């Protein structure tokens, strides 16, 4: 596939390896402009551990609460009082902190408010402005307004936002798209990367790097937009590639893996190896159950959170149980596809600036990654792109919806795309859309759940390779699924059951409504396939 098509493909408007490098200081160009502020578990020490271990509040409630006083003062009072029961501890916390409000979105009456009008009306209710944050709060400031997902997700999230922006574009809200791209550029300038979300406890990791795709939505002239944001695109790339220089085959460093032939691919990672602030008790219990070194378990949990797929069988050594999580041993196809996209976006930006040397360098990098993806992640016999366990030098023979990412960024050949389409139709297509994986583990990133971003990756990728019928079938079945839930509840939710269509389940928290990326993808699909928008049964959709 030629380079021009690779850029268009993003949806821009038209045996155990033993040698592991230690973590070193960030290379020039990757260090944050300001020191990372401490997360709540560092600020509040044994008080934080006591509150989270006692499960006084649901999941991230305490991590998001706003302290009324300086942490040292709160800790001193805690040490003096030493509440001796969960009830007493809660009373103490309630006097010292103000809870953060959920990003609720009111349901609509479907018989009165059509789904498009409902989505268009939700953007303002999900928009936040935090140019200033309360002192000692875990919330990070942003200069411009932004859209949050909804429910417990009361701050902006990285990869969610690209799919939200797709819907904003169809709703005519280019103002919010520009604001949000500016916010992400600010995060890169300030912290050296885009964090998982705008909380201090998310700063040690990122999420799937969709910033280049967001920039591509700003203008039909994607090259000009890439040129404008070239400093941030390059800096994000430096974050993901930090440590690649001098990395010998068989070595890993943070997010970089030197493959057996010396080529460079990437993995998910987190710079901390402690329980997550937002799930402290759950993580400590899992580490105890795993009977593995706790720090490694915590790192693998956090790395899975960086992937956005938290949690599912992709990251489980045995394919079924979360205690076997080994995310950092895996070279994932979705991440490396997106980094191929980022390399091509930087190349296009350099071309727009007439920087021939830079354009050549990033064309070389994209070509090298393309070759490595084909060599290590493409399974010709199975007709699928697979993840690769670098510690065993072997592909993981479990298909997931991530197999469609190479089509989304244009890294697949026509024959590879045709094979992936057949595999997706056979293994992943269900009555309500594309299933995340064929395995039912009780985790939310497994069967029977489907997720809006993966539907869009599939639809957009298949359309790029003339697989229009399958793309339309996936879109139609998903649209019917989402519309049926809306007709029953007046809501759009975070995830959906695509086998027995309806709201999804599983995971660490209750089903959330709002919901940013569902709104965005649904709004986009309705614009793309208006005839199917009124279907009431997946049986009306074309059958592949």
């Amino acid at each position: 596939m030629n380079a021009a098509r690779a850029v268009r493909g993003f949806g821009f408007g038209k045996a155990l390896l033993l040698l592991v490098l230690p973590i070193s200081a960030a290379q020039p160009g990757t260090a944050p402009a300001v020191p990372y502020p401490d997360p709540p578990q560092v600020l509040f020490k044994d008080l934080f551990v006591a509150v989270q271990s006692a499960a006084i509040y649901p999941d991230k409630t305490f991590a998001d609460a706003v302290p009324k006083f300086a942490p040292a003062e709160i800790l001193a009072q805690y040490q003096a009082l030493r509440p001796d029961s969960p009830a007493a501890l809660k009373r103490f916390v309630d006097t010292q902190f103000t809870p953060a409000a959920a990003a609720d979105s009111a349901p609509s009456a479907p018989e009165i408010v059509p789904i498009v009008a409902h989505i268009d009306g939700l953007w303002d209710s999900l928009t936040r402005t935090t140019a200033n944050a309360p002192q000692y709060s875990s919330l990070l400031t942003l200069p411009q307004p932004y859209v949050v997902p909804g429910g417990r997700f009361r701050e902006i999230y990285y990869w969610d936002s690209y799919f939200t922006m797709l819907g904003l574009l169809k709703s005519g809200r280019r103002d919010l798209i520009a604001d949000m791209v500016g916010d992400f550029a600010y995060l890169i300038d300030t912290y050296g990367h885009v964090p998982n979300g705008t909380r201090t406890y998310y700063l040690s990791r990122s999420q799937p790097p969709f910033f280049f795709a967001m920039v591509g939505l700003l203008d039909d002239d994607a090259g000009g937009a890439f040129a404008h944001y070239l400093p941030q695109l390059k800096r994000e790339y430096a974050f993901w590639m930090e440590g690649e220089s001098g990395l010998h085959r068989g070595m890993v460093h943070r997010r970089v893996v030197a493959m057996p032939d010396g080529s460079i691919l990437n993995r998910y990672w987190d710079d901390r190896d402690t329980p997550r602030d937002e799930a402290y008790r759950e993580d400590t219990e899992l580490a105890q159950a795993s009977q593995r070194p706790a720090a490694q378990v915590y790192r693998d949990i956090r790395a899975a959170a960086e992937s956005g797929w938290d949690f599912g069988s992709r990251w489980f050594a045995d394919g079924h149980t979360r205690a076997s999580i080994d995310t950092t041993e895996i070279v994932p196809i979705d991440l490396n596809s997106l980094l191929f996209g980022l390399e091509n976006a930087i190349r296009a930006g350099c071309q727009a600036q007439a920087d021939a040397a830079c354009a050549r360098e990033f064309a070389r990098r994209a070509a090298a990654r393309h070759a490595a993806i084909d060599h290590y992640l493409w399974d010709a016999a199975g007709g699928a792109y697979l993840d690769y366990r670098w510690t065993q030098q072997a592909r993981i023979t479990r298909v997931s919806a991530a197999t469609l990412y190479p089509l989304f960024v244009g890294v697949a050949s026509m024959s590879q795309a045709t094979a992936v389409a057949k595999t997706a139709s056979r293994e992943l297509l269900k009555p309500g859309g594309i299933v995340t994986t064929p395995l039912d583990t009780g985790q939310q990133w497994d069967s029977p759940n489907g997720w809006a971003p993966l539907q869009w990756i599939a639809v957009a990728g298949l359309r790029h390779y003339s697989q229009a019928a399958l793309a339309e079938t996936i879109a139609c079945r998903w649209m019917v699924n989402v519309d049926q839930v809306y007709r029953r509840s007046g809501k759009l939710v975070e995830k959906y059951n695509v086998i027995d269509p309806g709201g999804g389940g599983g995971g660490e928290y209750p089903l959330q409504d709002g919901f940013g990326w569902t709104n965005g993808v649904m709004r986009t699909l309705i614009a793309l396939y208006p005839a199917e928008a009124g279907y009431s049964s997946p049986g009306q959709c074309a059958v592949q």
Side-chain angles (χ1 to χ4, degrees), residues 105-123:
S105 54
S108 290
E111 68 278 6
I112 300 173
V113 183
I115 194 168
V116 167
H118 175 71
I119 293 171
D120 288 349
L122 277 175
W123 298 131

Side-chain angles (χ1 to χ4, degrees), residues 237-484:
Y237 186 73
F239 165 80
W240 285 97
M241 301 303 293
E242 193 272 316
E244 68 161 329
S245 178
L247 197 67
H248 300 295
R249 61 187 64 191
M251 293 182 177
V252 298
H253 176 87
R254 296 183 81 205
R255 294 165 177 83
V256 182
V257 180
M259 305 301 284
D261 64 355
S263 57
I264 299 295
L265 290 173
N266 290 77
R267 64 175 177 172
Y268 292 114
W269 178 259
D270 189 300
D271 293 333
R272 291 185 179 271
D273 61 1
T274 57
R276 293 169 296 158
D277 289 60
E278 69 274 23
Y280 189 94
R281 180 177 59 86
E282 293 85 350
D283 289 357
T284 55
E285 290 176 352
L286 183 65
Q288 291 167 1
S290 74
Q291 300 183 336
R292 296 163 52 209
Q296 185 59 54
V297 175
Y298 297 144
R299 181 91 71 190
D300 285 321
I301 291 170
R302 287 169 166 272
E306 181 170 81
S307 79
W309 292 45
D310 45 343
F311 296 93
S313 57
R314 284 183 72 194
W315 317 127
F316 302 162
D318 64 6
H320 295 283
T321 57
R322 196 168 151 198
S324 71
I325 191 166
D326 63 350
T327 319
T328 57
E329 295 187 18
I330 296 168
V331 174
I333 183 57
D334 48 353
L335 173 60
N336 284 283
S337 297
L338 291 171
L339 288 171
F340 172 83
L342 176 55
E343 287 159 345
N344 270 308
I346 294 173
R347 175 195 52 75
C350 292
Q351 286 179 334
Q353 291 190 345
D355 186 342
C358 172
R360 284 194 301 271
E361 171 61 13
F362 279 89
R364 181 195 67 79
R365 286 177 170 271
R369 189 179 298 275
H370 188 168
I373 287 172
D374 279 349
H375 183 68
Y376 290 103
L377 307 182
W378 171 244
D379 176 23
Y385 289 94
L386 302 173
D387 299 326
Y388 181 93
R389 184 167 278 109
W390 64 267
T391 53
Q392 297 178 5
Q393 298 186 37
R395 283 189 288 271
I396 301 169
T397 58
R398 298 194 296 266
V399 175
S400 76
T403 196
L404 290 147
Y405 270 78
L407 282 63
F408 177 70
V409 300
V411 76
S413 67
M414 287 300 294
S415 62
Q416 287 170 323
T418 300
V420 167
K422 291 178 180 177
T423 299
S425 182
R426 181 180 67 250
E427 303 288 340
L428 302 174
L429 181 62
K430 304 299 179 184
I434 287 286
V435 72
T436 309
T437 79
L439 296 177
D440 188 346
T441 64
Q443 299 293 327
Q444 63 176 354
W445 287 88
D446 278 316
S447 180
N449 286 341
W451 296 76
L454 301 182
Q455 312 305 312
W456 178 251
I457 294 296
V459 170
L462 290 164
R463 285 169 60 90
H464 297 156
Y465 287 89
S466 303
Q467 295 288 334
L470 179 56
E472 186 170 358
T473 298
I474 294 168
C476 181
R477 293 186 184 187
W478 178 258
M479 291 161 66
V480 169
N481 196 353
V482 172
D483 189 62
Q484 286 178 337

